[in-house]
Amino acid sequence: MTQVRSQVRDELANSGFENPNREADLLLSAILRRSLGDIELDHLLGKELASEDINRVLRAARRRARREPLQYLAGTASCYGLDFNVGPGVFVPRPETELLIDFGLAFLKSFGSPSPVVADLGSGSGAIAASVAVSVPEAEVTAFEASPYALPWLVANLRNLAPEVRVEFGDWHERIHTAPVRQYTAILSNPPYVPARDIPADPEVRLYDPETALYSGVDGLGDIRRIGATAAQLLVPGGLVAVEHTERQGQAVREIFTENGLIEATTERDLNDRDRFTWARRAGRAA
């Protein structure tokens, strides 16, 4: 273990990682499917790895050195206590999305509908759709996805985690208007929101996240504008729309929602006190 750990650290250090020791242990943990504590204990006890495990770790280290996301190497990413299969072509769910899911679930419970109807627009891996379906079994959830590259990941994840979720493939702004469900209790989305000119500095994002999951017009708000218009039409009275966005877009998203006649537009902050997502409701009954 000690020699392999050292080799991985050296490879990652040579490729420019700021904390190669930490990154090496995360890689070992992901590939060997052992906790960080187990990795450290194996190191202290001088435990040796089997040759096939050494080869798997070293192959993964070479890929990680090219900044391929760790989740791609492991083949999974966790969100809201569920493990989603991920790889090239699908956006890797981020921990911040759990804040949006939490908020959406709290709303559904307070709304009081015996069978709430939920749309996840731009579902990707299915993180939002599956989390809602598992947490609220009585909900009718539809996952909308436009990317043919993300679709296989979405279908496989929902088959494993929440087979009751309906999948609608195609331009989700169009499909939501033609899907069998015509009114929604909640519309939730982690949409593309990066302005076209703002190329991410993080190489894992810039080189590997699908562009269709990142960019949305010159100001990054193209998809959110369409979501605001759709929510105003398809939400039930009192229904919720909530979308993630950059830390600089909160005011603009609130204005988009308000201009569409939605009420109570509010931006929520993450644990680092940065704007993370904005929500609003359709006028009508109080939630």
Side-chain angles (χ1 to χ4, degrees):
M1 171 66 80
T2 300
Q3 183 177 354
V4 173
R5 196 186 198 194
S6 178
Q7 284 182 258
V8 173
R9 288 178 172 183
D10 288 346
E11 178 135 24
L12 298 183
N14 292 336
S15 68
F17 279 90
E18 291 184 1
N19 191 341
N21 292 349
R22 172 71 174 174
E23 290 289 343
D25 285 352
L26 288 172
L27 184 144
L28 285 162
S29 175
I31 301 304
L32 299 176
R33 300 192 182 281
R34 295 174 61 78
S35 70
L36 290 172
D38 287 338
I39 296 299
E40 182 63 27
L41 182 61
D42 289 349
H43 167 68
L44 292 174
L45 295 177
K47 182 177 179 180
E48 298 297 329
L49 293 178
S51 58
E52 59 268 26
D53 288 334
I54 293 175
N55 291 332
R56 286 196 300 123
V57 167
L58 294 181
R59 285 196 301 269
R62 288 192 290 273
R63 293 170 62 188
R64 187 71 180 113
R66 297 193 293 270
R67 298 302 178 123
E68 190 168 346
L70 183 61
Q71 295 90 341
Y72 280 11
L73 304 182
T76 62
S78 296
C79 184
Y80 219 76
L82 301 174
D83 289 331
F84 295 85
N85 294 324
V86 295
V90 69
F91 186 79
V92 175
R94 281 22 176 203
E96 293 83 2
T97 297
E98 296 183 352
L99 301 175
L100 176 72
I101 295 169
D102 257 336
F103 189 89
L105 292 175
F107 170 83
L108 293 175
K109 292 173 184 177
S110 69
F111 196 76
S113 173
S115 53
V117 182
V118 181
D120 173 13
L121 297 184
S123 190
S125 66
I128 294 175
S131 298
V132 171
V134 169
S135 300
V136 186
E138 64 273 20
E140 181 180 348
V141 182
T142 303
F144 293 83
E145 180 53 54
S147 168
Y149 305 105
L151 184 66
W153 299 102
L154 173 63
V155 171
N157 284 325
L158 293 179
R159 184 185 300 120
N160 293 334
L161 299 170
E164 68 277 17
V165 173
R166 177 189 295 111
V167 175
E168 291 282 345
F169 175 62
D171 183 320
W172 27 281
H173 299 295
E174 297 177 0
R175 296 294 297 174
I176 194 171
H177 289 276
T178 60
V181 176
R182 301 311 298 270
Q183 279 202 309
Y184 294 86
T185 313
I187 295 174
L188 308 176
S189 182
N190 181 15
Y193 52 67
V194 178
R197 65 182 179 277
D198 292 353
I199 307 300
D202 186 340
E204 284 86 348
V205 176
R206 185 178 68 252
L207 299 176
Y208 292 96
D209 274 337
E211 291 189 3
T212 54
L214 294 177
Y215 304 107
S216 186
V218 174
D219 61 0
L221 297 170
D223 282 281
I224 292 177
R225 288 190 182 92
R226 298 175 73 184
I227 291 172
T230 295
Q233 298 174 50
L234 299 186
L235 284 175
V236 299
L240 173 78
V241 59
V243 299
E244 289 192 56
H245 50 72
T246 74
E247 61 187 275
R248 300 184 300 277
Q249 293 172 328
Q251 180 176 343
V253 177
R254 293 194 300 273
E255 291 174 355
I256 289 169
F257 285 168
T258 301
E259 288 167 0
N260 279 282
L262 300 166
I263 63 173
E264 300 178 9
T266 304
T267 299
E268 304 291 342
R269 294 176 172 268
D270 63 19
L271 298 178
N272 294 314
D273 200 33
R274 297 177 299 192
D275 287 2
R276 172 48 51 189
F277 67 91
T278 294
W279 61 271
R281 293 194 305 114
R282 185 175 182 181
R285 57 165 280 186

